[in-house]
Structure formats: structure tokens, C-alpha cells
Amino acid sequence: MSVGLQPEKAAAVDLPRLDRTLQPGTKAPIRIVHLGLGAFHRSHQAWYTHRAGDAADWGIAAFTGRRPDAALALAEQDGLFTLVERSDGGDSFDVVGSIVEAVDGADVQRLAELVAAPQTAVVTLTVTEAAYRLGADGQLDRSAPDVVADLALLSSDSGNPTTPLGRLVFALAARRAAGADPLAVVCCDNLSSNGTVARNAVVGIAGAWDPQLAVWIKDKVSFVSTSVDRITPRTTDADLEAVAASCGYRDTSPVVAEPFANWVLSGDFPAGRPRWEDAGAVFVGDIEPYENRKLWLLNGAHSLLAYAGQLRGHTTVAEALADPLCRTAVEAFWDESESSLHGPGGNAADLQIPAYREALLVRFGNARIAHHLGQIAMDGSTKLRMRAVPVLRAERAAGRSGAAAALMIAAWMDFTTVAVTVQDPLADRIAAANRLGGPEGSGLERVSALLALVDPSLAGDADVVGLIEDLCGTFGERAVSP
Ligand code: CS2
């Protein structure tokens, strides 16, 4: 039986399974190792690699995070999957062949073998923002329980690390032991200066295990920063059926994405890379302006819609954007962000912000994409550090209130109070902070405790705490009395 389809549905469609006999073509040699085989990797890096002019030279071995079944399903199709580009006008289908091996992330020995292989030139990462275990000070939180556990496993040689970065450190140690040449690690998670963040996290873990390995990594591994963009909701059973109906084969692992895709990269590739520019990737010297434009305007608006929208009873981005209260909040946040978007070389015009904002409204409004707010709401304590805090700080430094950025934080706080589940590495501490706002506590105490999880220095600023407290309740019932 094919994975992912209900038995009765599978029986109803007697179709061949997608495999390389349906899509003939040579399998490229593995030269890229990817950590975080999810929908976004397939719609983005795998798609760019598939479209590169030299795709035949660049195969990807992709490792899942925690889901062996996802690796199994893709491996049964020999790594092939269908990318469904979904616009308001309809769907188009493309089979992507760049993933040549799909592996369960728990297979750390295979990861080490591939990262150590001399022909491997690039390691790409989509492991989620929270996986970098950044403390509120922006450095690796070495006290995070899973970091502590991985360090114990690495040091005792008694087992395989379980976090993506612990696994990467283990694999880089194997590359060092094999005497292989330098390579590039390309972070594709939505973090500011994501190459530097990845470097700090990897070097931090390595240094706590084996200081010589940390020195080798600093010396030999190039950490490339990137800004990645393509809206990719979770695949549903209806998507599997749409592929079967339109393509005439059964694909257990299709991915649906918007037509838009963007990839900006900055950094060195000491062992080479695919010609991703053939597929539209852009290589720049100074990535920060592009990164901020995307993180604040797109991801910031996403987080605002995720919390405000759910408080207002909406389910998808398109629904939330159609609500005037949410839309006004987004526009106000964009206005604040815009004041701090300076553009490459200080030339804001190069960022084409009015056109970017206009395009975002169209992208968010694509009702056929069904991008669930619940998916975006995860890991808020980490995401807000990148999406709301820099704008709030810049606004206040300029003598303005930063009320629109503060409203995003207030909406997150209200959401964490009423949500059935809060998926966040700090979920326990969020729940404890929310209890401060109960009958015995005060709204200000609660806001300050929650804010401390996002940014401790802001939590000590009484004006900011007061501002956020005032804004709580904007999108629904005030969860806590002032
Ligand atoms: C979203 C992103 O889930 C989220 O936090 O904001 O996944 C967003 O859809 C992508 O960055 C779009 O490129």
C-alpha cells in the first residue's frame, strides 16, 4: 500500500507509482547533503537544484528530522516527487529529480559517511528557527535540555546525537577525520544572519565536545547566509488526489507551493555549488537588506496574522488578511518596518518596497494555497526575536512608539493564553509566565515575564511592558485583567 493514502482511496485509483521509469533520466551523484527533508526543502532548494543548468552533476541526499516515514515514502519513489505550483489561475505539475537519496535522520552513520565523502561540497539546512537553540542573547543556549543531552552522547561515544545540529557536528567530525577538503554549510532557515547563527551554534556544540574540532570547523567550513522564500503549506490528502487525477500516477510525497520563489545567498563555496542562478537564485555581497525585507515584511506579517487571525477565529492567511482589523495591523507594521529598511549601500529604492508590499498582498491573498495560521504560529518565542523585536527597537531608538511591532508581541501573548496547545521550545516557561496573570497576579507581571522569554532587556523597560500590556486584548477578549 502506498504511504499517505487511505486504503479505500488507494484502491479506487489504480495508478502506477511515481518512479524513475516514469521519469527517465540519470541520477546525479550525491554532492549535497540536506538536513530537514520537509515540504519547504522540496519546494525550494531541491527545486532550485533540479532547475540548475548543471543539475546532472548535483544530487541531494536528504535527511528527515524526526519522521522516518517521510524518508521511507520518498525513498520508495526513488526520491522523485511532484511539485504542484498553485496559483489563483490553476495548478501546474513538475516532477523534481534532484533528491537521489532520502534517509531517516536517525541514521547518523549514513550522514557522517556522506558528509565525510570527498565529493560532498555543500550541506544545506532547513531545521527550523528553534533548532538553533538560540538563547535570548542570540548565542547557543548550552543549557537547553536537548543540547545538554547531545553533548553527553557525543562525549561518551555511547550513542547518536538527536538534534539536527548535534548530528551535523558529529558528521563534520567524520569529515575532519577523513581528511576531506573544506565545504559550505548553507543555512536556509528564517533567521537574521543565518550563516553566522548556524556557525555559532555548530562551533558552540563542537567546542563543548572537542575544542580542536571547533578550530577545524572555524577554519575549514564556510557558513553561507541566505534569504529563502516560497510559501509552502502542508500537503493534504486532497493534494495527493489532485496529483493522481492530473498526472496519472500515484505520488505519496507531492508538495504544493505558490509560483513565486526567491533565494538570495552570500558567502563562499570552497568546493563548488550548482548553478542555482540558472533557476533565479541571486548571489550578493551584503545580504542583510534582503534578509530584513523578507523577515520583517513577509515573515513578520505572517506571525502577526497567525496570532491576530486565530484570535479573531480565522484559519488561513488569506482569511485573516481579508479581515480589516488584521489587514490594518499588517499595513501599520509594514510602515514601521519600512523606516528601518535601508537597502544595499543605503539605497532603499533598490529594495522596491512598494512593489514588494503589493506583491505580498497578492501572495497572501492566494486563497487556493490554504496556508494554515496554526503552522505559522509555532515557535513564536524564537520567531518574534527576528520578526518583531528589531523593528520595535528601531522605532523606539528613533523616538517613536513601535506600537505596530508591539501589537504583534501582544497578539502572541494573548494567543499563548487561549491556545489549546502552544508549540514552542519554551512552552513550559510560557505557561508559567501566563499563570502570573491569573487572579493572584497582574497583567504587567505576565507581560514582563513573557517578554523576558523573547528579549530580556525589553522586559526590563517599563514603557515597553506598559505599551504591550495596553495592546493586549486588541484582537479579542482581553485574556487577563490589567
Ligand atoms: C512562515 C514561513 O511558518 C512560518 O513561520 O512565515 O514558513 C514562510 O511561509 C516562508 O518563510 C515563506 O518563504
Side-chain angles (χ1 to χ4, degrees):
M1 192 191 85
S2 107
V3 181
L5 279 183
Q6 303 301 320
E8 60 278 11
K9 286 182 190 153
V13 273
D14 183 17
L15 295 169
R17 184 201 300 279
L18 174 61
D19 66 22
R20 285 187 198 257
T21 58
L22 288 174
Q23 291 290 328
T26 47
K27 268 172 92 167
I30 295 172
R31 300 199 59 209
I32 302 175
V33 172
H34 181 77
L35 267 67
L37 171 53
F40 184 70
H41 169 62
R42 284 180 283 137
S43 76
H44 196 274
Q45 303 90 47
W47 178 82
Y48 274 92
T49 305
H50 172 73
R51 307 254 306 205
D54 53 357
D57 301 331
W58 292 93
I60 303 173
F63 289 75
T64 54
R66 256 162 275 140
R67 292 196 42 206
D69 57 323
L72 190 66
L74 201 57
E76 280 181 359
Q77 301 179 174
D78 213 3
L80 292 176
F81 64 91
T82 310
L83 177 85
V84 183
E85 268 188 19
R86 182 158 289 170
S87 68
D88 266 339
D91 289 350
S92 71
F93 303 85
D94 190 11
V95 174
V96 176
S98 54
I99 297 183
V100 296
E101 188 172 321
V103 195
D104 173 4
D107 190 349
V108 180
Q109 300 308 323
R110 181 64 181 146
L111 177 68
E113 190 182 357
L114 286 172
V115 170
Q119 70 273 17
T120 297
V122 177
V123 177
T124 48
L125 307 174
T126 52
V127 294
T128 78
E129 293 93 322
Y132 294 85
R133 292 295 180 258
L134 285 180
D137 61 357
Q139 297 298 316
L140 172 74
D141 178 4
R142 279 181 44 186
S143 68
D146 53 359
V147 174
V148 173
D150 260 10
L151 284 172
L153 288 168
L154 287 166
S155 305
S156 68
D157 281 339
S158 61
N160 290 329
T162 60
T163 67
L165 296 185
R167 289 171 176 169
L168 177 58
V169 167
F170 181 82
L172 288 172
R175 188 167 179 97
R176 175 178 174 229
D181 288 336
L183 88 178
V185 170
V186 184
C187 179
C188 302
D189 287 295
N190 290 316
L191 296 151
S192 3
S193 307
N194 59 8
T196 308
V197 168
R199 185 175 195 267
N200 288 346
V202 168
V203 170
I205 295 173
W209 173 33
D210 172 358
Q212 288 311 311
L213 174 63
V215 172
W216 182 87
I217 292 173
K218 281 191 200 160
D219 214 30
K220 305 280 186 202
V221 180
S222 164
F223 286 87
V224 176
S225 281
T226 73
S227 171
V228 292
D229 194 1
R230 190 165 213 185
I231 292 172
T232 310
R234 271 196 199 113
T235 307
T236 63
D237 281 351
D239 299 328
L240 304 191
E241 284 166 35
V243 171
S246 298
C247 302
Y249 54 72
R250 188 171 325 126
D251 182 347
T252 61
S253 312
V255 64
V256 176
E258 61 173 341
F260 179 93
N262 184 250
W263 198 3
V264 186
L265 303 96
S266 180
D268 296 328
F269 288 83
R273 59 165 175 82
R275 286 200 338 241
W276 286 318
E277 59 272 42
D278 297 343
V282 181
F283 292 82
V284 298
D286 177 14
I287 197 165
E288 199 186 314
Y290 301 96
E291 198 172 70
N292 288 343
R293 180 180 66 177
K294 197 262 170 171
L295 274 173
W296 299 346
L297 299 185
L298 188 150
N299 298 113
H302 257 175
S303 287
L304 183 48
L305 291 170
Y307 305 122
Q310 290 190 91
L311 288 166
R312 302 264 300 157
H314 306 302
T315 308
T316 66
V317 170
E319 278 168 24
L321 189 71
D323 176 338
L325 196 58
C326 297
R327 164 83 180 253
T328 305
V330 165
E331 300 267 9
F333 177 69
W334 283 349
D335 290 344
E336 282 188 359
S337 305
E338 213 174 313
S339 322
S340 302
L341 285 169
H342 303 305
N347 188 2
D350 285 358
L351 291 179
Q352 302 186 326
I353 295 175
Y356 192 89
R357 283 174 60 157
E358 211 40 56
L360 279 183
L361 291 174
V362 175
R363 293 172 66 195
F364 289 173
N366 179 349
R368 296 192 65 244
I369 278 282
H371 197 185
H372 284 260
L373 299 170
Q375 183 181 342
I376 299 168
M378 288 166 53
D379 299 337
S381 64
T382 310
K383 288 178 176 175
L384 290 181
R385 263 175 229 154
M386 253 73 60
R387 302 178 182 195
V389 169
V391 175
L392 177 57
R393 282 190 176 288
E395 285 296 281
R396 295 193 73 83
R400 295 184 290 268
S401 75
L407 183 56
M408 187 192 316
I409 300 176
W412 169 71
M413 291 180 178
D414 282 347
F415 169 80
T416 64
T417 312
V418 297
V420 180
T421 8
V422 174
Q423 288 194 52
D424 194 293
L426 302 184
D428 291 348
R429 292 163 72 186
I430 292 171
N434 270 321
R435 282 195 288 276
L436 294 172
E440 308 294 308
S442 85
L444 286 171
E445 256 186 281
R446 162 188 171 258
V447 166
S448 173
L450 285 169
L451 194 53
L453 302 177
V454 176
D455 188 310
S457 64
L458 282 178
D461 181 331
D463 288 345
V464 172
V465 172
L467 171 66
I468 295 177
E469 215 282 325
D470 280 347
L471 292 167
C472 283
T474 301
F475 297 104
E477 289 273 304
R478 179 176 270 278
V480 180
S481 45

